[in-house]
Amino acid sequence: MKNFVSVNDVEDPKQFVKEAIALKNEKRISSIGKGKTLGLLFFNSSLRTRMSTQKAAQNLGLDVMILNVSNDGWALEFEEGAIMNGTTVEHIKDSAAVLGLYCDIIGVRCFPKLTDKEADSSDKIVNQIIKYSGVPVVSLESATRHPLQSLADMITIEEHKIKEKPKVVLTWAPHIKPIPQVVANSFAEWSLGCNYDVTITHPEGYELDEAFTKGAKIITNQEEALKDADFVYVKNWCSFKEYGKVLEVNENWMLTNEKLKNTNNAKVMHCLPVRRNIELSDEVLDGENSLVLKQAENRVYAAQAVLKKIIDTNF
């Protein structure tokens, strides 16, 4: 594995999940990364991704350097052939090349702007760092996907499933502002890649990009979608068709214990951070079927499995 930006970088997603769980169960520190450096670039804020990836790197013996690009770095230019007579100070082809000299592996976190569908869909920042750094790159979340979160989610499902092919429901939830489709895209892609029975439910107008959902059942009736679910993944996202917009929804889409009565005693998942009693009720988040803290814990082992695979493959 040269880079890790989507499920497509993994030869066998289900097998990779099992490898991550085996790594978790070993509960030991490795020296496989000794003498190598992981550089973590944050264009946007982070809690779980930052801490879990750093912890994973330390568990493998890697040195870690962190740069908050938006606050601590130069203003970067990404356009080819740009005449840099404005506010940008350094071109990505120069900064990425330099980072590749300092770091053996680079992790990058950057959010979509939600104003230009074509620009966001190109994943320009991650792809240009891959192009110019010359070293393996791990997506810590991009404009289209969040693969480390989704790998952690698959680990969590694998650990808690009671049948080989559980029914997994991704349900839209309310929010107070436009939220990217990133986590929903990635969760759908990985769940389908692991051959689960996937249903996606959302109000009309909130359809995701079909590139990520092909093979899933799409239902706009939440009650119908939740029937017999084994896992329910709760996440908000803004409209993809009317890109970046929050469309009016008259129904109550927040998940509650009452709605969960229609499921197969479903386990409930959310990537965090979560707006309590907007996206998810306290009773669900703090209830016995909530897996949110298990997901957060598994972020460490998802990152550890990815970094180990990259080290094994490239060094």
Side-chain angles (χ1 to χ4, degrees):
M1 185 163 63
K2 174 66 174 178
N3 303 300
F4 182 76
V5 298
S6 80
V7 71
N8 299 320
D9 294 308
V10 177
E11 185 174 345
D12 184 338
K14 293 195 78 168
Q15 179 58 35
F16 193 51
V17 168
K18 291 178 180 178
E19 290 174 17
I21 293 173
L23 197 63
K24 175 181 178 178
N25 292 336
E26 284 181 7
K27 295 181 180 178
R28 67 183 180 88
I29 305 298
S30 170
S31 60
I32 189 174
K34 186 176 181 180
K36 297 177 179 62
T37 299
L38 170 67
L40 301 179
L41 309 181
F42 290 92
F43 288 81
N44 297 94
S45 56
S46 176
L47 190 159
R48 278 151 294 277
T49 299
R50 181 187 300 255
M51 301 292 283
S52 62
T53 307
Q54 188 170 1
K55 175 72 171 176
Q58 292 170 344
N59 286 349
L60 296 173
L62 284 156
D63 292 322
V64 182
M65 297 193 297
I66 298 176
L67 178 65
N68 296 311
V69 181
S70 299
N71 296 323
D72 302 330
W74 299 112
L76 293 174
E77 177 62 59
F78 293 92
E79 296 301 323
E80 293 287 347
I83 299 172
M84 293 173 56
N85 59 357
T87 58
T88 55
V89 178
E90 184 168 20
H91 201 283
I92 188 64
K93 66 170 61 177
D94 302 315
S95 59
V98 169
L99 288 166
L101 298 175
Y102 300 157
C103 305
D104 299 285
I105 305 169
I106 295 174
V108 186
R109 182 177 177 90
C110 50
F111 294 171
K113 296 183 186 293
L114 294 178
T115 56
D116 186 330
K117 182 191 291 189
E118 185 176 349
D120 286 343
S121 297
S122 73
D123 259 334
K124 183 179 291 185
I125 293 177
V126 169
N127 286 327
Q128 290 201 353
I129 291 173
I130 290 173
K131 181 177 180 179
Y132 295 120
S133 68
V135 300
V137 171
V138 176
S139 170
L140 308 177
E141 185 169 357
S142 74
T144 59
R145 296 175 170 95
H146 196 346
L148 283 178
Q149 177 65 57
S150 297
L151 176 56
D153 296 336
M154 297 305 105
I155 294 169
T156 307
I157 291 175
E158 181 68 22
E159 290 179 321
H160 292 87
K161 70 183 186 181
I162 58 175
K163 58 187 178 186
E164 184 58 29
K165 191 170 183 176
K167 179 179 178 180
V168 178
V169 176
L170 169 62
T171 180
W172 182 91
H175 207 284
I176 64 169
K177 65 178 185 178
I179 299 294
Q181 301 90 20
V182 172
V183 171
N185 287 344
S186 202
F187 181 78
E189 189 174 53
W190 278 82
S191 297
L192 291 164
C194 286
N195 196 35
Y196 294 141
D197 178 4
V198 181
T199 296
I200 302 173
T201 185
H202 53 70
E204 291 186 10
Y206 281 95
E207 294 78 12
L208 295 166
D209 184 348
E210 292 181 0
F212 300 102
T213 63
K214 187 177 181 181
K217 301 182 187 74
I218 313 296
I219 301 175
T220 56
N221 183 309
Q222 188 187 42
E223 181 180 359
E224 180 184 346
L226 290 174
K227 186 178 180 182
D228 299 327
D230 298 294
F231 294 89
V232 180
Y233 200 100
V234 180
K235 190 71 183 80
N236 174 266
W237 60 87
C238 61
S239 176
F240 180 72
K241 184 177 181 180
E242 297 186 50
Y243 194 66
K245 292 185 178 181
V246 176
L247 308 179
E248 184 177 356
V249 176
N250 295 319
E251 302 88 354
N252 179 12
W253 278 75
M254 185 180 74
L255 191 67
T256 62
N257 279 339
E258 183 63 29
K259 292 182 179 182
L260 286 171
K261 290 179 180 178
N262 196 34
T263 70
N264 185 26
N265 194 31
K267 300 296 185 181
V268 179
M269 306 175 71
H270 190 287
C271 62
L272 300 180
V274 60
R275 299 233 177 199
R276 283 176 173 261
N277 302 308
I278 299 292
E279 294 176 85
L280 260 173
S281 59
D282 281 338
E283 64 177 6
V284 175
L285 276 167
D286 300 328
E288 61 181 14
N289 282 21
S290 173
L291 295 180
V292 295
L293 294 181
K294 298 294 185 182
Q295 292 170 259
E297 178 186 9
N298 283 332
R299 289 297 308 275
V300 174
Y301 304 105
Q304 196 167 329
V306 168
L307 292 172
K308 182 178 184 299
K309 180 68 73 173
I310 285 176
I311 293 169
D312 286 341
T313 306
N314 296 278
F315 301 102

